[in-house]
Amino acid sequence: MQGVGFRPFIFRLAVKHGLSGEVDNRTDGVAVIVQGDLRTIDKFSNDILKCAPPASQIKSIQVNPKAIEGYKSFSIVKSRVIDDLITEISPDIAVCPDCLSDLSADTGRLNYPFINCTNCGPRFSIISRLPYDRAQTSMNGFRMCTRCSAEYNDILDRRFHAQPIACNECGPRYLLRSTSGEISDFDKILEEIAGQIVAGKTVALKGTGGYFLVCDALQNEAVTRLRDKKHRDQKPFAVMFRDIASVKEFCNADRNELKELTSWRRPVVILRQKKVLAESVSNGLRTTGAILPYMPVHYLLFRLLKTPAIVMTSGNISGEPIITGDAEASVKLGSVADSIVGYNREILNRVDDSVVRVINGGISLIRRSRGFVPRPVDLALDAEGILAMGAEEKNSFCIGKGRQAIMSQYTGDLKDRETTCFYKESIGRFSELFSFSPAFIAADLHPDYYSTVYGKELAERMKIPFTGVQHHHAHIASCMAENGLDEKVIGISLDGTGFGTDGRIWGGEFLIVDFEDYFRYTHFDYVPMPGGEKAVTEPWRMAFSYMFKYFGDTIDYNKIPAFKSHNPGSLPLLKEMIIKNINSPESSGAGRLFDAVSALAGLCTISRFDSEAPMRLESSTGSGIESYYPYTFGKTIIFADTLKGIIVDLYDKEIPLISAKFHNTVSRVVLEAAERIRNEAGLNKVVLSGGVFQNKYLLEKSFGLLTKSKFEVFTNRLVPANDGGISLGQLVVASKKAKYVSEHSGKNNIN
Ligand code: ZN
Ligand code: ZN
Ligand code: FE
């Protein structure tokens, strides 16, 4: 792993043990030559495992004994551009404890906000080209002072070869801009930011991978004002807590959650709420997206603040990518923030904060970005030259380098024009960074996804083959790939949407899958979506559609709370759309069923942000409830009895019970489908993927039922179960096709 101080670490270790030799970064890892007696070398290699830098990742150590002589000392082989480029660039690393204490001890770096060392600091966000050397990063404009230079060259120093090394004299600086002018003195900047936060104002603060908008998370007026200015963005805001104690005051966090919160990756971790911050932070959801400080400036700022928590949300206009440029920030965030605090080092690779949730004791990624990208996923097969375009929402793309898949950072929703620019730019950046040239392109089957259209365009322009991969095939394949499975499995994809081969929308899919192909064993019932896309943002439409499909005119819809309060004239209109099949595509999406139930329960009839309805439904589940509703297993899975049960319960039962029973029902369906497939096809491995499985209650319940029934169950850990992980699935499915193409065409089409 480059950029995590591994070579200097090896150097210091060799010196400590009195060994001579050299260390070299190579494509297949780090090569160390040590000359000395075998016992010392043995101790040396044990120490490598014991004391490796936190962000390094040792997969294995191979020792090849050989008689050598002639090394007089130990040295690091200077990095050089090699043909077969190293694919492992380090993700950005949160500031380390040593650097934090240096903030008050190192005279050249007192309160210096860009302090870093070989164990911490920016990496992926500042690199433009390999190898990872200062000249190839956005530090290249900063000339090291004599002191930094001495440390950089002192092998025994913690900052030896720390590429972004800097100090108060020679490194990057913050600059605050507001209507009342500019401030360049850092202490004054901090005072000003703190003052504005206390006064309920919003500050745009440049982070590691982009700008963030910051305000006091305990002042509801400030948070509401920020929401209004951010263009009606109703998504829950992530919150940066001062420290662990503050997290524990407001959230419930178990051991695994605390481990993620404090890891060097520093993601946002979704936690259960204990105490409400400002009401508007989570907008009624009972979870909080918590993050701990990861840049020196965050720590320094909290020193001046009394509040235990500040909102830390992406600096963008709703739907657009996070802003990285200082000029763009002035233009676009000028009306949102009261001051803009940037710094004079360019962010070359935009990275949002990653978002994770702990499910079943391990992490489940919701957004894979800072701290994770561009760490590769190891594959059991060769994916060289494949470019997988991803899906539409929460897009990421993925490139194949040998037996490694390198997935891009979260790029966002490709319906947004700015996001498509970022997407294309990132594909270009990855190609350069990893000296990658696509030989085969894979994309979704959806003809209108921007990723599909652009993938086809690229394939045509480059005269290389193109293949479409079914959306749910890709979801399941993503999970198989990261779990090292290459065989026939039971694949269950519970998801929102996915282009189906019968012209309908799929998303409640029970499949028999291998990388080559899939067989659709059964699926959730098809239900019309009156209004198309509108039925996604207005869950009451789905509630009506489900009810009307199963019960027609036999019930009085006006008595159901979800419809009672809602546009009196609109029900007959919806009915007509459905009957006459006007703009009412049919969907088997599990997401739509969750939408419908959430609306029926009165939790969310109009959705103000992505997945609000299912999130509110999950958020309202009671604990310790084992009962469930009936359903019918026909040619498809029919939820008529489920909905009937819910309607009856709505008269005299509490929502937490109804919600838990509904979730239990879906888990039962998952179990029964898996058992049916096992009986017929003799398969015992179940792979769960798709965005609906980000639901902690549902995934844990399904996992529990399946393992109790002796299934081997696999879930996504390294890439998201939502559409953010789909490019990995496309890549591995394509890799099998690539093999087919090269084996059957007589010549190697793929290169
Ligand atoms: Zn450090
Ligand atoms: Zn310096
Ligand atoms: Fe999906």
Side-chain angles (χ1 to χ4, degrees), residues 529-635:
M529 292 169 54
E533 271 300 298
K534 243 194 152 155
V536 178
T537 52
E538 298 187 4
W540 69 276
R541 290 172 182 254
M542 284 317 297
F544 178 78
S545 183
Y546 261 101
M547 296 297 286
F548 187 70
K549 177 180 173 96
Y550 291 137
F551 311 114
D553 288 322
T554 63
I555 51 170
D556 184 356
Y557 289 97
N558 292 314
K559 279 195 177 146
I560 297 172
F563 308 127
K564 232 193 292 185
S565 59
H566 218 82
N567 320 345
S570 52
L571 290 187
L573 202 73
L574 274 201
K575 194 171 132 183
E576 199 179 313
M577 286 175 80
I578 293 168
I579 292 171
K580 295 190 176 158
N581 190 18
I582 303 162
N583 191 21
S584 296
E586 287 194 300
S587 166
S588 64
R592 300 293 81 73
L593 177 65
F594 278 76
D595 284 351
V597 173
S598 185
L600 282 175
L603 295 168
C604 177
T605 52
I606 302 276
S607 175
R608 293 167 306 162
F609 56 88
D610 179 44
S611 302
E612 181 180 359
M615 278 163 85
R616 286 199 190 283
L617 190 61
E618 183 196 351
S619 177
S620 72
T621 48
S623 57
I625 297 154
E626 296 300 329
S627 53
Y628 55 95
Y629 294 109
Y631 55 86
T632 316
F633 230 97
K635 209 169 152 271

Side-chain angles (χ1 to χ4, degrees), residues 32-268:
V32 186
I33 297 173
V34 276
Q35 177 185 303
D37 68 89
L38 284 174
R39 260 190 54 198
T40 316
I41 292 175
D42 214 40
K43 277 191 209 144
F44 168 78
S45 42
N46 282 340
D47 272 4
I48 293 180
L49 283 170
K50 229 174 20 201
C51 320
S56 70
Q57 195 184 31
I58 300 174
K59 290 169 190 161
S60 65
I61 296 187
Q62 265 179 47
V63 184
N64 305 312
K66 213 176 201 171
I68 52 166
E69 55 183 307
Y71 286 100
K72 297 274 181 287
S73 62
F74 199 89
S75 63
I76 294 181
V77 177
K78 203 170 152 40
S79 57
R80 55 209 136 109
V81 182
I82 24 184
D83 289 347
D84 202 1
L85 274 173
I86 293 143
T87 53
E88 300 199 354
I89 302 173
S90 168
D92 301 296
I93 307 169
V95 60
C96 76
D98 288 339
C99 283
L100 282 177
S101 48
D102 280 354
L103 282 177
S104 45
D106 179 340
T107 48
R109 298 191 179 87
L110 293 175
N111 289 353
Y112 181 57
F114 296 94
I115 193 165
N116 67 84
C117 70
T118 44
N119 294 323
C120 76
R123 298 289 186 273
F124 173 65
S125 60
I126 59 166
I127 189 169
S128 65
R129 213 167 296 111
L130 277 175
Y132 173 63
D133 267 339
R134 188 175 174 103
Q136 324 250 42
T137 70
S138 52
M139 283 301 294
N140 65 354
F142 298 92
R143 216 192 143 89
M144 274 183 233
C145 68
T146 37
R147 187 167 166 251
C148 282
S149 170
E151 289 170 344
Y152 182 89
N153 290 305
D154 177 5
I155 194 72
L156 298 171
D157 196 280
R158 202 174 84 244
R159 297 193 170 85
F160 174 69
H161 284 192
Q163 306 303 341
I165 189 172
C167 73
N168 265 320
E169 196 190 318
C170 67
R173 292 171 182 284
Y174 280 98
L175 178 71
L176 181 145
R177 282 163 298 156
S178 69
T179 43
S180 39
E182 293 187 348
I183 306 177
S184 57
D185 180 86
F186 183 61
D187 290 335
K188 293 220 173 71
I189 291 177
L190 276 182
E191 271 168 41
E192 180 67 21
I193 300 176
Q196 294 202 349
I197 290 173
V198 171
K201 293 183 173 173
T202 300
V203 178
L205 178 63
K206 188 170 172 181
T208 303
Y211 268 88
F212 287 83
L213 292 165
V214 182
C215 73
D216 188 348
L218 267 80
Q219 293 185 43
N220 201 45
E221 229 170 275
V223 183
T224 312
R225 194 170 143 262
L226 169 54
R227 273 200 190 286
D228 291 345
K229 290 194 164 183
K230 234 191 136 186
H231 287 214
R232 301 180 310 273
D233 189 342
Q234 294 301 318
K235 267 195 299 256
F237 285 148
V239 171
M240 181 174 281
F241 286 91
R242 168 189 297 278
D243 50 23
I244 294 276
S246 309
V247 171
K248 286 181 171 167
E249 188 188 341
F250 289 90
C251 311
N252 290 301
D254 65 22
R255 198 169 43 90
N256 293 315
E257 287 164 335
L258 289 175
K259 196 178 126 209
E260 273 317 305
L261 267 175
T262 52
S263 86
W264 60 267
R265 290 180 288 266
R266 283 293 201 289
V268 172

Side-chain angles (χ1 to χ4, degrees), residues 426-738:
S426 299
I427 293 176
R429 172 75 70 187
F430 265 60
S431 304
E432 196 179 322
L433 212 44
F434 300 102
S435 66
F436 172 84
S437 170
F440 189 27
I441 291 181
D444 200 272
L445 289 181
H446 201 304
D448 301 331
Y449 277 1
Y450 183 84
S451 53
T452 310
V453 173
Y454 185 58
K456 280 184 179 156
E457 188 190 311
L458 270 183
E460 242 161 69
R461 202 161 71 207
M462 303 183 72
K463 300 196 169 46
I464 54 175
F466 172 93
T467 189
V469 180
Q470 207 285 321
H471 191 90
H472 302 292
H473 189 196
H475 269 309
I476 300 301
S478 78
C479 187
M480 290 170 65
E482 65 159 272
N483 285 292
L485 299 173
D486 184 359
E487 62 195 281
K488 256 196 181 41
V489 299
I490 301 168
I492 300 176
S493 175
L494 297 189
D495 201 23
T497 54
F499 190 82
T501 50
D502 60 357
R504 289 155 162 156
I505 299 162
W506 296 3
E509 308 304 312
F510 300 83
L511 314 166
I512 296 173
V513 183
D514 57 23
F515 287 145
E516 280 90 354
D517 211 353
Y518 66 92
F519 168 74
R520 199 178 186 208
Y521 181 83
T522 187
H523 55 87
F524 281 14
D525 221 1
Y526 281 127
V527 177
M529 292 169 54
E533 271 300 298
K534 243 194 152 155
V536 178
T537 52
E538 298 187 4
W540 69 276
R541 290 172 182 254
M542 284 317 297
F544 178 78
S545 183
Y546 261 101
M547 296 297 286
F548 187 70
K549 177 180 173 96
Y550 291 137
F551 311 114
D553 288 322
T554 63
I555 51 170
D556 184 356
Y557 289 97
N558 292 314
K559 279 195 177 146
I560 297 172
F563 308 127
K564 232 193 292 185
S565 59
H566 218 82
N567 320 345
S570 52
L571 290 187
L573 202 73
L574 274 201
K575 194 171 132 183
E576 199 179 313
M577 286 175 80
I578 293 168
I579 292 171
K580 295 190 176 158
N581 190 18
I582 303 162
N583 191 21
S584 296
E586 287 194 300
S587 166
S588 64
R592 300 293 81 73
L593 177 65
F594 278 76
D595 284 351
V597 173
S598 185
L600 282 175
L603 295 168
C604 177
T605 52
I606 302 276
S607 175
R608 293 167 306 162
F609 56 88
D610 179 44
S611 302
E612 181 180 359
M615 278 163 85
R616 286 199 190 283
L617 190 61
E618 183 196 351
S619 177
S620 72
T621 48
S623 57
I625 297 154
E626 296 300 329
S627 53
Y628 55 95
Y629 294 109
Y631 55 86
T632 316
F633 230 97
K635 209 169 152 271
T636 62
I637 297 148
I638 298 155
F639 291 98
D641 294 335
T642 312
L643 293 174
K644 196 187 277 172
I646 290 172
I647 295 297
V648 170
D649 275 355
L650 275 171
Y651 279 99
D652 58 356
K653 300 282 192 317
E654 300 288 323
I655 296 296
L657 173 77
I658 296 171
S659 177
K661 274 175 81 176
F662 168 71
H663 280 81
N664 294 348
T665 311
V666 177
S667 304
R668 284 275 150 190
V669 169
V670 166
L671 174 66
E672 187 174 341
E675 282 175 339
R676 283 171 181 246
I677 299 174
R678 174 160 67 185
N679 290 341
E680 279 184 42
L683 300 170
N684 200 51
K685 288 182 177 158
V686 181
V687 174
L688 304 175
S689 192
V692 173
F693 277 120
Q694 284 181 126
N695 183 314
K696 183 177 162 88
Y697 185 100
L698 179 73
L699 185 58
E700 288 181 347
K701 188 61 100 180
S702 306
F703 190 93
L705 289 176
L706 288 164
T707 44
K708 213 172 141 199
S709 183
K710 302 275 183 297
F711 283 102
E712 261 186 90
V713 191
F714 299 89
T715 59
N716 289 105
R717 293 284 186 215
L718 304 177
V719 303
N722 63 35
D723 284 5
I726 224 160
S727 58
L728 175 64
Q730 293 170 344
L731 184 100
V732 285
V733 169
S735 92
K736 289 281 180 168
K737 293 189 187 178

